[in-house]
Amino acid sequence: MNSPEKTSATSLPRYSRIAGTGGYLPANCVTNAQLAQRLAASGIDTSDEWIADRTGIKSRHFAADDELCSDLAVAAARRAIEAAGCDASSIDLIILATSTPDMVFPSTACIVQHKLGLAGCPAFDVQAVCSGFVYALTVADSMIRTGAASRALVIGSEVFSRLLDFGDRTTCVLFGDGAGAVVLEASDEPGILASELHADGRHVGILCTPGGVSGGLLRGDPTLKMDGPAVFKLAVTVLEDVARSVLIKAGRTEADIDWLIPHQANIRIMQSTARKLKLSMDKVIVTVADHGNTSAASIPLALDVAVRSGQVVRGDTLMLEGVGGGFTWGAVLLDY
Ligand code: UT7
């Protein structure tokens, strides 16, 4: 078993590093053609061609009716723990990013903790929609650096299909379900080099699920609403800005990035970000074709795919970038 650097008030770890990654996709894979056929039955006109051309998505996975956010998260977490080569009992912090929790409360992180057979360590959810994993990773990094934790499980898990209005073709073709996880542990070596988080609540309305519960009833509309073009425009601007800012903080340049692992919302946003950062697309991890947009799960899922395929190897410098509802955005630069 690897043991993370011991922490004390006098010798705090200087860094946190990713010890292992894991991912999980529900078994039900739905292609664009299958989805278009399903939508046609209710009079909604879309096509594989439109979806693939405008977004890069070819298929997505949908969770089974009895599969919960916590089930996906546990499957991804087990794989990350196995990859890290550590005992689950050594996990001393669980942070889970999601907008599709099992319950209003308690947090899905607490449910995951119990399903993993753990107890005692802090466990909480982070709600930053598609930026959620970058937020969760930054919080875990900060807690490890201050000595509050030494081995964290950081998870992004979503059952976004539950929020979709299958009568709205502008949104229902875009999203999928899945989970990704990392074990982040204290280390003398980097690790996470720099990170930055942002939010601007003026843009709440361009991407939201406005419903809630009140008096035992649903209040408002509990399906996802998005002004796609407005989100697109903001996303391409903030993703460039935050990447540059994080590079400056870390004393690195675009040339130091081995892999850009952006939130997987739309291939055209990824192409635009890569172009602005002067990176060729063969330095960008792209899973949107097979996963669709899995919100907080998209970055750790893409990371796990890249690690398991051998694209990302130890020593590579990775730029992780998220953007989503809130409006929220952020980036983490790390040496894997
Ligand atoms: O994860 C959080 C972050 N989210 C994102 O980053 C999403 C950002 N936005 C986008 O990715 C894109 O804006 C979309 C993929 C959502 C839309 O692409 P677009 O190129 O901005 O298309 P549009 O919304 O401007 O719509 C173009 C046309 C419209 O028809 P008209 O008005 O030109 O006749 C739409 O009605 O495409 C039509 N359209 C569709 N046609 C067939 C919209 N959805 C569909 C569809 N199938 N599914």
Side-chain angles (χ1 to χ4, degrees), residues 26-266:
N28 182 24
C29 177
V30 179
T31 65
N32 289 346
Q34 289 167 331
L35 186 58
Q37 197 177 12
R38 170 177 164 185
L39 296 178
S42 31
I44 309 292
D45 179 27
T46 188
S47 63
D48 171 41
E49 194 188 11
W50 190 94
I51 302 167
D53 282 357
R54 304 308 295 166
T55 71
I57 298 167
K58 293 181 180 151
S59 60
R60 76 285 293 138
H61 293 250
F62 287 148
D65 285 347
D66 60 353
E67 258 183 324
L68 299 174
C69 177
S70 61
D71 296 321
L72 276 56
V74 165
R78 285 196 204 285
R79 288 173 187 170
I81 291 166
E82 191 188 357
C86 64
D87 287 337
S89 61
S90 66
I91 300 290
D92 59 9
L93 170 68
I94 300 173
I95 307 181
L96 186 143
T98 190
S99 299
T100 50
D102 290 9
M103 305 180 187
V104 172
F105 73 83
S107 72
T108 304
C110 287
I111 299 167
V112 167
Q113 182 196 47
H114 180 61
K115 286 184 177 177
L116 288 173
L118 305 176
C121 72
F124 57 93
D125 289 359
V126 162
Q127 220 296 29
V129 202
C130 304
S131 311
F133 184 75
V134 166
Y135 266 65
L137 197 59
T138 301
V139 174
D141 173 54
S142 307
M143 289 181 72
I144 287 174
R145 285 178 189 233
T146 61
S150 57
R151 182 173 278 148
L153 192 51
V154 186
I155 310 169
S157 183
E158 301 281 14
V159 281
F160 243 63
S161 59
R162 308 260 156 86
L163 301 180
L164 299 178
D165 171 0
F166 285 94
D168 175 9
R169 69 175 183 172
T170 68
T171 54
C172 73
V173 301
L174 305 175
F175 295 90
D177 302 335
V182 302
V183 172
L184 190 75
E185 65 184 25
S187 169
D188 280 341
E189 305 290 326
I192 292 181
L193 299 162
S195 64
E196 198 169 296
L197 304 176
H198 294 276
D200 186 346
R202 285 177 302 174
H203 303 292
V204 163
I206 63 171
L207 177 49
C208 58
T209 297
V213 287
S214 177
L217 298 170
L218 272 180
R219 186 186 55 195
D221 187 338
T223 61
L224 184 145
K225 312 289 169 216
M226 179 167 72
D227 176 347
V231 172
F232 193 108
K233 220 167 125 187
L234 264 178
V236 293
T237 305
V238 299
L239 287 173
E240 180 192 7
D241 291 350
V242 77
R244 289 198 187 288
S245 186
V246 166
L247 283 169
I248 290 167
K249 267 191 185 172
R252 307 261 182 126
T253 70
E254 298 99 313
D256 296 316
I257 299 173
D258 293 304
W259 294 102
L260 176 66
I261 310 187
H263 170 47
Q264 308 284 315
N266 187 319

